[in-house]
Amino acid sequence: MATFLYKLGRLSFRRRHFVALIWVALLTLAGVGAASAPAAGNSSFSIPGTEAQKAFDLLEQRFPGVSADGATARVVFKAPSGEKMTDPGNKATVRETVEELADGSEVTRVTDPYRAKAVSKDGTIAYAQVSYKVSGMELEDSSRDALQDSAQDARKSGLTVEIGGDALQTVPHTGSSEIIGIAVAAVVLVITFGSLVAAGLPLLTALIGVGIGVSTITALASALDLGSTTSTLAMMIGLAVGIDYALFIVSRYRAELAEGRDREEAAGRATGTAGSAVVFAGLTVVIALVGLSVVNIPMLTKMGVAAAGTVAIAVLIALTMIPALLGYAGRKVKPMGEKGKRLGRASKQPERPNLGTRWASFVVRRPIAVLLLGVIGLGAAAVPASSLELGLPDDGSQPTSTTQRRAYDLLSEGFGPGFNGPLMVVVDAKDSDDPQAVFGDVGDEIKGLKDVVTVTPPAPNKAGDTATITVIPGSQPSSVTTENLVHGIRDAGTGIKADTDANVLVTGSTAMNIDVSEKLNDALIPYLILVVGLAFLLLIVVFRSILVPLKAALGFLLSVMAALGAVVAVFQWGWLSELMGVEQTGPVMSMMPIFMVGVVFGLAMDYEVFLVTRMREAYVHGEKAGQAIVTGFRHGARVVTAAAVIMMAVFAGFIGSSESMVKMIGFGLAIAVFFDAFIVRMAIVPAVLALLGRKAWWLPKWLDRVLPNVDVEGEGLRSDSDRGDTDRELVRA
């Protein structure tokens, strides 16, 4: 591995014009494809294998032309104080609004509140439901404008008018804080390298890689049904790892220059050694992201694969374009320590150990204290995770400044908290002798269940073999009581199936959310086993050790649990919610735990590979186990710290997103990187290695013979260059 990458680095350095031309051409091609592709909306949300999805598919078959996946809007009216919605003037305004809404070219149906009995008992609130032919993200802007204009016209009469539903759904924006994150990364790079040119290389290559990745996703979004969140996630992860991977190779290049090598040789050495770590770190991230496909949720699979593709591009750019740009930079990228030499420090006084060396020496002397403090601290941060509540966002999680949230609150006020989460019961009586009797029996059975407020009469299809029944719970959509009601209806359906051969299925957004949460919970353990198992095998190959990969996996579990605890504290409990821009607390997004497990594991292994490979390199070349830890920190701590701060800044930049899911992911990943990089990898890892000593690098002889030698330490480079002084150089490294 190291020998191949060494040759690739030297080739890229020599043929820099050709390498740069290839990447610029790819960026241009992807940009043209993105510019000419149709705009993408949110990916269609389907959950194969769940009862809610089966019911949805059945509706598509038995109720053709109904547009079951079409957008809906609820236009909610509230009368001024002292008036009723049944007053003649208010009634005339509502009916005029209904007629105006019905003229839309994409509208299939608009209900009249007075005919549909959609007026609250106290007469102060009413609503009209608008159904569309297409989904919310496919609606023409003219249809959204017409909806909002109709509401505005109704407000002129003195009514309070708000709009809920998915018809106003738009592509989220990330806000200016994303740019601030990149600016912070630039400042950290300048401080790390002490040079604008050296600092600019990782930023430039990361932006090119993200540009290619996101543009490709945009170009394929319509054809592959990729949602807007997919490109946001790819940008988030691509920027972070792109900067980090380039940072490690540039840092190693400067260290090689400081050893007296010429620039082409230094570029080859940096790519062969740090580049090997980049390859395996990238592989762990790719494994974690692609592994999301085991959950069998198409949207999550597409997000993971797209982000993994962007990470792969970041790895390729780091291995080829960074050496090419180093060739262009020439003497503008200085050897490590060059500044101190110019100031004459080296000749006047002994070089003072850097902060990484001093910290590692302290941990080696006090491993038990550091280990206990780190584990207890992360354990305390993880405590809120025990109160984790999962759900999918709806209008109730929107900021109170939005019309969707105000409509949600008005409907709860007028019709009860469960009105915003109606359950649709689909009765398939095709194999029954008397479908009409079955429909009535199902309705009567549901009326007898706890927490049921309203059960509408069955609405059969034209064939008379399938009917829908709408059930209004007494509790809000995200409550445990509503979840119990869904399971109660399904349990009752099991008995009906046995007696009448009719299938009773529960669907709707609330039932879908419940099914998604259960599906994700069931998939978490298999996903952990798959991803952690594959990465464990990969790390055994990299480190040629059993205990080091095991320690890496256990440390990851600590950091991800602590990060989940922080997410619960902020987004569910409301701690620091104003600082984070969280206007509405509530359940944590259902896919957050499994998503964090995947992404955080990949990123955690990044730091493990970058930091511990330097320790193993020193150990392999003759240093004692304790000294190898100090050597690894001397060369790697500053760069890993810079990489972690950069990654945190990039992720934190997405906290400014208008999309609650993106905001939560940005915060969760940023805090997870902090816990993993600074507590697990910088404190717990060296403490455990110090306690294990030489045992940390133990590997059974039979396994040593079986495993391929990937040569991450660059041992094979001894035969390719600098034969005369390689031994001295490797000991110093």
Side-chain angles (χ1 to χ4, degrees), residues 279-289 535 538-539 601-602 605-606 609:
V279 169
F280 284 100
L283 275 175
T284 59
V285 180
V286 169
I287 287 172
L289 291 171
L538 184 66
L539 293 179
F601 181 78
M605 295 307 102
D606 273 5
V609 171

Side-chain angles (χ1 to χ4, degrees), residues 169-212:
Q169 192 174 18
T170 57
V171 178
H173 64 272
T174 55
S176 59
S177 56
E178 175 190 343
I179 300 175
I180 296 175
I182 297 176
V184 171
V187 172
V188 173
L189 287 169
V190 171
I191 294 173
T192 303
F193 291 133
S195 164
L196 289 174
V197 174
L201 296 183
L203 277 177
L204 177 61
T205 54
L207 291 174
I208 291 174
V210 167
I212 294 173

Side-chain angles (χ1 to χ4, degrees), residues 5 19 79 91 103 173 190 195 215 228 234 248 255 258 356 385 413 461 516 563:
L5 293 179
V19 172
K91 185 180 290 189
D103 291 337
H173 64 272
V190 171
S195 164
S215 296
S228 57
F248 277 96
E413 176 187 339
N461 62 348
V516 169

